[in-house]
Amino acid sequence: MLKTAGLAALALPGSRAVGADTRAALSPEPPRDLPKICLDAGAGGAPPGASADEAAAASARRIRQLGVEHVISGGPRIPWEETRLREMTDRLKANGLTLGNLMISGFPNAIYNRPGRDADIDHVIQSIRAAGKVGLPVVEYNWYAHRAMEGYFEETGRAGAGWTGFDYARMKDLPPLPEEGAHTLDEMWATITYFLKAVVPEAETAGVRLALHPNDPPAPLSRGSQQIMATIDGWKTLVGIVDSPSNGITFDCGVTREMHGDPVEVCRWFASRDRINHVHFRNVKVQRPYERYTEVFLDEGENDMFAVMKELVAQKYARLIYPEHPRGLDYDRERPGFRPQYPGGGGYAAYAFNVGYTRAMLQAACRC
């Protein structure tokens, strides 16, 4: 007994008993000012034949069973209305979920500098004001001239699981699409500068942070158009256009590695300036930076995912982390009507793996 007591004293220096403070330190749940794991609001799926309300409740229940209480979603058609957003957030809240990030889209004239650009921007501003009124903290968006998805294909991973491959050679010679055209870097920087100078002050007033997702895939040229967010220097240029926490990025450690970057160093640069407004947590194997890579399971790629998580915690990042792009598992593929978002992608079972892995990284990082 004395020997056991001595070991206990060594394990808990300075403690005479396991009190409330010690129990809190050993608790599996991280403090609330640390990152929150999130999933897409529909990631839980729904039983066949369920009504819309039943489907929403079932999906929320399955998400919460994984210990996840925060979700993201695609937004409605712009301009968003406060009433519509409040209905969305209240419905999720009634099912035990908090909406923390809404993707906004539908402003091509602003992206391509076409007639109607100012009307598009006004719709975005109205949407951000509505988001602020319902307490939505982050609005995410893209600024693609064209997204190079034609380079995606399915690869086979461990035990036949699905990986998502990208090969620039599959799409590098594709011509511009008539509805998009071809655009230079100068053109794209000019359009987003005009956009940000109009929108960011409104976001600040509304208490909303904007998160621009990097170009993914970060192909050198996408159907004739150059991509402003396809380099780390581009990310840094973006946050410097309007110097504000409301002008931030979605930090994607997978895309960072695809661009031959060090995710820990890049995370530190942006987080130390409070410019990471959302995080995508995934891993890759890169054969040729920018041009040839494979999205793999979180535990088997080139990124040190624990080092990334430790840096986020060290920088006191407290917003959402999305363990995205689940890999293709047989269990998901066997579900009736299953449709992956990407070639080699998966569903709820694969998300469960991602959440478990990410939660372990977060809990361990909190104790370092």
Side-chain angles (χ1 to χ4, degrees):
M1 290 176 64
L2 288 173
K3 183 178 180 181
T4 302
L7 289 173
L10 288 173
L12 297 170
S15 298
R16 295 185 179 180
V18 181
D21 291 343
T22 300
R23 286 195 296 271
L26 297 175
S27 168
E29 290 303 319
R32 292 190 178 276
D33 60 347
L34 288 168
K36 289 88 177 169
I37 299 171
C38 70
L39 287 175
D40 184 275
S51 68
D53 287 344
E54 291 169 341
S59 181
R61 177 182 170 88
R62 293 173 184 179
I63 289 171
R64 289 169 53 225
Q65 285 177 347
L66 301 180
V68 174
E69 297 178 349
H70 293 79
V71 291
I72 62 175
S73 181
R77 183 176 179 177
I78 61 172
W80 296 346
E81 298 175 354
E82 180 185 350
T83 302
R84 178 90 179 269
L85 294 190
R86 198 170 296 283
E87 289 173 353
M88 180 184 298
T89 56
D90 287 350
R91 189 183 314 117
L92 289 166
K93 190 177 296 184
N95 287 317
L97 298 175
T98 298
L99 181 64
N101 178 338
L102 204 55
M103 175 68 76
I104 193 168
S105 60
F107 40 94
N109 296 324
I111 295 174
Y112 300 126
N113 191 24
R114 294 174 178 165
R117 171 175 69 170
D118 289 338
D120 273 6
I121 291 175
D122 185 59
H123 285 170
V124 172
I125 289 172
Q126 290 180 51
S127 301
I128 289 170
R129 289 172 179 166
K133 288 176 181 177
V134 303
L136 182 68
V138 176
V139 170
E140 191 175 12
Y141 68 110
N142 290 306
W143 203 265
Y144 295 115
H146 177 80
R147 188 176 183 188
M149 294 182 69
E150 296 91 339
Y152 281 139
F153 65 101
E154 181 168 348
E155 294 190 73
T156 301
R158 60 192 184 205
W163 285 345
T164 301
F166 176 79
D167 189 349
Y168 180 54
R170 289 173 171 248
M171 58 84 59
K172 69 183 183 69
D173 296 323
L174 294 176
L177 296 173
E179 64 272 23
E180 295 174 346
H183 303 271
T184 66
L185 277 180
D186 287 344
E187 290 176 304
M188 297 301 292
W189 280 122
T191 58
I192 200 164
T193 297
Y194 186 87
F195 175 85
L196 291 174
K197 288 184 175 181
V199 171
V200 172
E202 297 285 348
E204 288 179 336
T205 301
V208 172
R209 288 176 178 248
L210 302 178
L212 177 56
H213 193 284
N215 288 122
D216 180 26
L221 202 65
S222 187
R223 281 194 177 264
S225 289
Q226 294 177 296
Q227 305 198 84
I228 59 172
M229 291 291 282
T231 66
I232 294 166
D233 284 342
W235 299 7
K236 293 178 178 180
T237 298
L238 182 280
V239 299
I241 292 172
V242 180
D243 187 12
S244 167
S246 287
N247 178 31
I249 66 166
T250 294
F251 168 63
D252 188 318
C253 53
V255 176
T256 304
R257 181 63 67 184
E258 292 160 16
M259 301 187 305
H260 204 50
D262 180 334
V264 175
E265 291 181 3
V266 172
C267 176
R268 184 177 302 125
W269 195 96
F270 285 93
S272 65
R273 292 162 173 81
D274 194 19
R275 296 301 181 267
I276 296 180
N277 291 340
H278 187 49
V279 171
H280 284 182
F281 199 67
R282 60 184 171 91
N283 215 339
V284 294
K285 294 182 179 181
V286 180
Q287 294 81 35
R288 213 164 43 253
Y290 304 98
E291 299 188 7
R292 178 70 181 92
Y293 60 84
T294 306
E295 297 179 17
V296 298
F297 285 97
L298 285 169
D299 64 331
E300 62 180 356
E302 295 172 16
N303 284 341
D304 183 340
M305 303 302 286
F306 185 42
V308 173
M309 185 65 79
K310 285 194 295 183
E311 189 63 34
L312 287 166
V313 171
Q315 294 294 337
K316 296 180 170 54
Y317 173 78
R319 284 172 284 280
L320 301 185
I321 294 179
Y322 180 28
E324 60 161 0
H325 293 199
R327 304 282 30 104
L329 301 180
D330 289 350
Y331 184 87
D332 288 324
R333 291 165 163 169
E334 292 164 358
R335 300 305 96 190
F338 171 68
R339 293 184 181 86
Q341 185 178 7
Y342 298 99
Y348 178 76
Y351 271 126
F353 174 88
N354 283 7
V355 168
Y357 186 95
T358 304
R359 186 179 301 282
M361 297 294 98
L362 178 56
Q363 290 177 352
C366 290
R367 288 153 176 74
C368 288

